[in-house]
Amino acid sequence: MTAFRVEHRPEGVSAWTEATATPIEDGPFHYAGKLYLKGLEGATVYEARVMTRNEEGWNKHKNVFSFATRGAGGIDVFMCWDVTAWEYIVL
């Protein structure tokens, strides 16, 4: 694993904003990464997707996940991820 690419956008917007993170190996065949998304708007629902890169190139994203900033529709969620899972923590 050589990189993570995280794309996010406000729900209903077609263009993705892209950011990358460096993976950290934290076990056999398990990598994690941390990325702070800057410039998010308050009270907004976002969509996000994660891709990984290895020696063969970038994989295709499989899932689009949703998260929200404080005040969006009464849900307050903090999102963190690793290569295999997204974790949602209600604030």
Side-chain angles (χ1 to χ4, degrees):
M1 187 83 47
T2 60
F4 291 123
R5 178 171 39 204
V6 178
E7 297 177 338
H8 68 283
R9 65 183 179 190
E11 192 174 62
V13 173
S14 60
W16 293 94
T17 299
E18 182 180 305
T20 58
T22 302
I24 300 165
E25 187 172 6
D26 68 349
F29 305 106
H30 188 269
Y31 294 84
K34 187 181 287 187
L35 179 67
Y36 294 97
L37 301 176
K38 298 179 182 180
L40 300 179
E41 297 179 27
T44 303
V45 176
Y46 285 87
E47 297 175 323
R49 59 190 184 185
V50 176
M51 287 152 277
T52 58
R53 185 179 68 200
N54 63 19
E55 312 72 48
E56 302 295 321
W58 288 101
N59 75 327
K60 294 182 180 176
H61 57 84
K62 295 182 180 179
N63 298 309
V64 174
F65 303 91
S66 294
F67 68 97
T69 54
R70 187 173 303 278
I75 56 170
D76 297 318
V77 177
F78 173 77
M79 178 185 68
C80 52
W81 56 274
D82 68 22
V83 121
T84 58
W86 290 76
E87 179 179 348
Y88 294 89
I89 303 169
V90 178
L91 299 175

